[in-house]
Amino acid sequence: MADSAQRILADVGAGRRLDADGAAILAAAPEPGSILATAEALTLAGHGTAVGWSRKVFIPLTRLCRNRCAYCTFAETPRGAHHAYLSPDQALAIARSGALSGCREALLTLGEKPELRHPAAREALAALGFASTVEYVAAIARRIFDETGLMPHLNPGTLSADEIAQLRPVAASMGLMLESTATRLGERGGAHWKCPDKHPDVRLATLRAAGEQAVATTSGILVGIGETRLERIDALLALRDLHDRHGHIQEIIVQNFRAKPRTAMANSPEPTLAEHQWTIAIARLIFGPEMSIQAPPNLRAGELDALIRAGVNDWGGVSPVTPDHVNPEAVWPQIATLRRATEAAGRELVERLALGPGFAREAARWTAPDIARAILRHTDAAGFARDDDWHAGSGAPLPPLSRSSADARTPANPVLDLIDRASAGHALSEDAVITLFEARGSDYAAVIDAADRLRAATLGEGVSFVTNCNINYTNICQHRCGFCAFAKGRSAESLRGPAYVLSADEVGRRALEARGRGATEVCLQGGIHPAYTGQSYLDIVAAVRAAVPDMHIHAFSPLEIRHGAATLGLSPAAFLRRLRDAGLGSLPGTAAEVLDDEVRAQLCPDKLTTDEWLSIVRAAHEVGVPTTSTIMFGHVDTPRHWARHLLKLRQLQRDTGGITEFVPLPFVHMESPLWHKGRSRSGPSAREAVLMHAVARLALHPLIPNIQTSWVKMGPGGAAQCLQAGANDLGGTLMYESITRAAGGLNGQEMDSAGMNHIATGIGRPLWRRTTLYQRADAPRDMPSAACPVQPACVG
């Protein structure tokens, strides 16, 4: 028996599915230690160190129920109930108190179909103006979402397909515990005697209908109500079968029975901690690493470490406002207490929404458009709740860069191992880079500290910048990138100004003005004007060269290169040679967005593909034109896409050596069409924005030594934090910068050397002025700091 169990566990650990026969062998195995260890390893593989929870408010809409469960104290009779239903005002008052306390979820829980049993329920519904409990739930959920912003999670019991369709538009998610598939529990004396809605077939039918309508659903089993281990396994396998067909089970709750006074099961034995652990572990083995497994923390106070060791990765909803009305004897833990207990177990407590992280990343699939929009705006790239109110380009300060958690808990060994490999210059795998991007708590502090140390060891303490002038020569563009608020059609009107085209002479004049103010570089980029040809770009370069012969011309994204080459019937390499010979010094590595076609299909489907971008940048390097490289992140992307982007850049740099720097550009959402349509997040969180700089330092080492932070998008304070997290460069002074402003950013259009110096010296680092190619530049004479004119002349 022991040998068979070990073989089964080895197979499951290697990715093989646990079937009923294998689970039955494990049910009889005398030693649970290996079962728990395998379950914990699978949990770490699927969820890392994150343990989720949702800050919720508990709204018991009605305590009347047509079932008579032998263990329940939630349900009341009409005689005992103060009111058959909460009134709309009562329900909304509870919701508002939750919103004021920072809750994001409204859990509507209630008895099942009380109107089928209690005349008082029917009368109360009629007085409220509703024909059914489900209809009332739908109306209250809609008002809660519209009036408080809380996301409804609905637990109305068993439902028909029509009832699910009625609730789906107002639900972030729904819940229905299967509890058990043991039909004998419905016999006289059983836990489900006189409970028509607890028959397994009825509950499975509801769960199946929810899957057919793409409703993200929480389900699970109740442990210790008279069922056997094999019956628990049967219930878990039934849930897995449904999830295999529809993919809609967002979480499995493995809840331990609690004996309650004044119930038929008041004297029944509760499951031991060991038995609860075994059941959690078998659920993890059955469902594998990706499924979210929950155990309510208030039902095992003081024993949370044991639940984590068994495979738990989520504590479910915890309310700072309302009690657990289903288990009133079990007080919710204080959030600070829950955090300490979670961290003591070597994990990080991470807040989520009513829609779990994996489902939140696909909110449009699982929820109605207005709820999907709200979910996207409140989540980070991993699908958890945003943990700060900072937004790129907003001008708001970042939360303080705290490393104190590094002293409180040793980081997970895999993170330290990855840091060591990266710092030694070894290429990391895609999964390894994702692990670094998902770092939180002490792991986050370790990544930030390691990136900062690596920056210092590689480049020293200096902070570099270039005096440059951005000239966006036209904002008319034939492409329609979903994220872009800069580009316009020729006659388009905009909150940020009209469409325009600068003549070549005007570009030359601005370059001359920039030289007079100490600039060593002009950065030239614009929309893809339908009337432009390759000669247009050559004329722009010629105008700058004629006006300022020694000015470094940093110009034209790979998209502009493709457009110009095509109009002249040239290959990108041939066109780049002509530009080089005309005076082009380097190419901005923009238009990269995220180098993954899955993302680009949503952001910019008519733009360059990933391979086209890489091919044009490679061609630039091969003809002797160096480039920068960028990423624009925080919209529809995930850490996996970021990892792929960095690894593609690393490989390109290994092949060509032509990239001078890497520039993270956090998505500025305020004026983005994609965001206004509810199809993107609200930019990266502060943690993600800082991590992008740190992980880039590690993942690109030693091939791309310079990591630039964008003061325009991060703000001066944010840029200072990034300089302490692996970045070494502040970019340019950016006279005339307009793209970020068009997107709704509020940071200034220009920063002089004094402003740059204030950032660097504020963190105790010296500032030095560089050229585009990172050579030392002569110190300029004092120049006026007044910004260039904001609006270019409109000639189009």
Side-chain angles (χ1 to χ4, degrees), residues 533-543 556 568 570 575 578-580 582:
T533 68
Q535 189 59 48
S536 305
Y537 301 119
L538 289 164
D539 291 344
I540 289 171
V541 172
F556 311 134
L568 296 181
L570 298 174
F575 183 50
R578 290 186 61 178
L579 288 168
R580 178 201 63 195

Side-chain angles (χ1 to χ4, degrees), residues 68-75 260-264 326:
R68 305 177 189 181
C69 300
Y71 45 78
C72 180
T73 58
F74 175 79
K260 297 177 177 63
R262 300 184 301 279
T263 66
V326 175

Side-chain angles (χ1 to χ4, degrees), residues 548-618:
V548 191
D550 63 343
M551 180 71 78
H552 184 98
I553 302 175
H554 181 63
F556 311 134
S557 72
L559 182 61
E560 290 165 286
I561 297 300
R562 185 186 71 171
H563 177 72
T567 61
L568 296 181
L570 298 174
S571 68
F575 183 50
L576 282 160
R577 279 192 290 268
R578 290 186 61 178
L579 288 168
R580 178 201 63 195
D581 294 344
L584 179 67
S586 58
L587 203 72
T590 51
E593 280 60 86
V594 176
L595 294 175
D596 187 282
D597 287 337
E598 182 177 88
V599 174
R600 300 181 78 80
Q602 299 178 67
L603 287 182
C604 46
D606 64 343
K607 208 169 179 177
L608 294 164
T609 66
T610 296
D611 286 345
E612 286 173 325
W613 189 94
L614 291 168
S615 176
I616 290 170
V617 173
R618 182 183 296 272

Side-chain angles (χ1 to χ4, degrees), residues 507-532:
V507 173
R509 187 196 68 76
R510 292 192 180 201
L512 183 61
E513 178 188 349
R515 165 59 80 200
R517 299 178 63 196
T520 60
E521 170 197 305
V522 289
C523 178
L524 309 173
Q525 294 184 98
I528 306 301
H529 196 297
Y532 274 27

Side-chain angles (χ1 to χ4, degrees), residues 219-220 236 239 249-254 283 287 291-294:
S219 191
L236 291 167
L239 289 170
I249 305 294
Q250 69 166 357
E251 188 165 41
I252 295 295
I253 302 175
V254 182
F287 280 94
M291 178 58 73
S292 185
I293 305 290
Q294 180 203 132

Side-chain angles (χ1 to χ4, degrees), residues 286-419:
I286 286 172
F287 280 94
E290 299 301 328
M291 178 58 73
S292 185
I293 305 290
Q294 180 203 132
N298 58 322
L299 303 186
R300 285 287 181 195
E303 299 172 320
L304 302 190
D305 182 89
L307 303 184
I308 285 175
R309 300 291 163 240
V312 160
N313 68 281
D314 194 272
W315 297 130
V318 177
S319 180
V321 179
T322 51
D324 180 352
H325 292 284
V326 175
N327 298 284
E329 78 288 354
V331 178
W332 294 120
Q334 294 291 319
I335 304 306
T337 302
L338 185 62
R339 187 176 305 281
R340 285 194 296 270
T342 304
E343 291 180 353
R347 306 298 170 86
E348 291 294 335
L349 189 67
V350 185
E351 188 178 353
R352 62 165 172 84
L353 305 182
L355 191 66
F359 288 75
R361 292 197 297 264
E362 299 182 279
R365 175 183 175 188
W366 300 107
T367 63
D370 55 345
I371 294 179
R373 179 184 293 108
I375 287 168
L376 283 175
R377 291 180 177 181
H378 287 87
T379 52
D380 64 16
F384 286 101
R386 288 182 68 99
D387 53 8
D388 56 63
D389 293 325
W390 177 83
H391 295 94
S394 67
L398 270 74
L401 185 62
S402 172
R403 294 188 168 107
S404 60
S405 59
D407 300 326
R409 185 168 60 83
T410 302
N413 285 333
V415 171
L416 294 182
D417 292 343
L418 295 177
I419 287 171

Side-chain angles (χ1 to χ4, degrees), residues 12-302:
V12 172
R16 183 175 177 181
R17 271 197 145 196
L18 183 63
D19 59 18
D21 291 339
I25 292 172
L26 295 180
E31 175 51 52
S34 296
I35 295 174
L36 299 182
T38 303
E40 185 177 18
L42 289 175
T43 306
L44 288 169
H47 300 274
T49 59
V51 178
W53 72 290
S54 174
R55 192 186 299 266
K56 73 176 181 184
V57 60
F58 203 134
I59 302 176
L61 202 57
T62 178
R63 289 176 173 271
L64 302 183
C65 184
R66 76 163 175 162
N67 300 309
R68 305 177 189 181
C69 300
Y71 45 78
C72 180
T73 58
F74 175 79
E76 297 178 341
T77 64
R79 181 178 300 174
H82 185 62
H83 294 288
Y85 293 84
L86 293 180
S87 70
D89 287 345
Q90 289 171 321
L92 284 162
I94 297 172
R96 290 189 183 101
S97 70
L100 289 173
S101 298
C103 295
R104 305 180 197 244
E105 173 187 341
L107 170 62
L108 272 68
T109 192
L110 53 149
E112 298 195 42
K113 297 182 172 61
E115 65 268 34
L116 299 182
R117 176 184 172 192
H118 300 296
R122 294 193 291 274
E123 293 166 5
L125 285 170
L128 289 165
F130 296 94
S132 70
T133 299
V134 168
E135 186 180 322
Y136 187 46
V137 170
I140 293 297
R142 170 53 65 191
R143 287 194 62 184
I144 287 172
F145 177 72
D146 289 345
E147 297 179 31
T148 72
L150 296 180
M151 298 176 194
H153 174 78
L154 308 181
N155 281 347
T158 54
L159 300 166
S160 68
D162 287 344
E163 289 170 330
I164 291 172
Q166 189 175 359
L167 294 176
R168 188 185 188 278
V170 297
S173 55
M174 298 189 203
L176 179 70
M177 291 288 282
L178 175 58
E179 296 193 9
S180 178
T181 51
T183 56
R184 62 185 183 81
L185 297 181
E187 297 171 359
R188 182 182 294 275
H192 292 155
W193 168 241
K194 296 185 178 179
C195 301
D197 297 307
K198 292 299 175 80
H199 193 284
D201 290 347
V202 176
R203 299 183 89 73
L204 288 169
T206 296
L207 292 167
R208 185 178 305 109
E212 290 168 351
Q213 296 189 46
V215 174
T217 307
T218 296
S219 191
I221 61 173
L222 191 54
V223 180
I225 56 173
E227 82 294 346
T228 67
R229 281 188 171 185
L230 292 181
E231 287 168 336
R232 289 178 219 151
I233 289 168
D234 182 72
L236 291 167
L237 289 172
L239 289 170
R240 189 177 75 176
D241 287 345
L242 285 174
H243 186 62
D244 285 347
R245 286 198 288 275
H246 305 293
H248 69 303
I249 305 294
Q250 69 166 357
E251 188 165 41
I252 295 295
I253 302 175
V254 182
Q255 181 171 330
N256 52 311
F257 158 72
R258 294 288 297 266
K260 297 177 177 63
R262 300 184 301 279
T263 66
M265 296 181 67
N267 297 316
S268 298
E270 296 179 353
T272 65
L273 175 61
E275 191 65 18
H276 194 193
Q277 279 188 295
W278 181 88
T279 309
I280 291 168
I282 207 71
R284 172 62 68 200
L285 299 182
I286 286 172
F287 280 94
E290 299 301 328
M291 178 58 73
S292 185
I293 305 290
Q294 180 203 132
N298 58 322
L299 303 186
R300 285 287 181 195

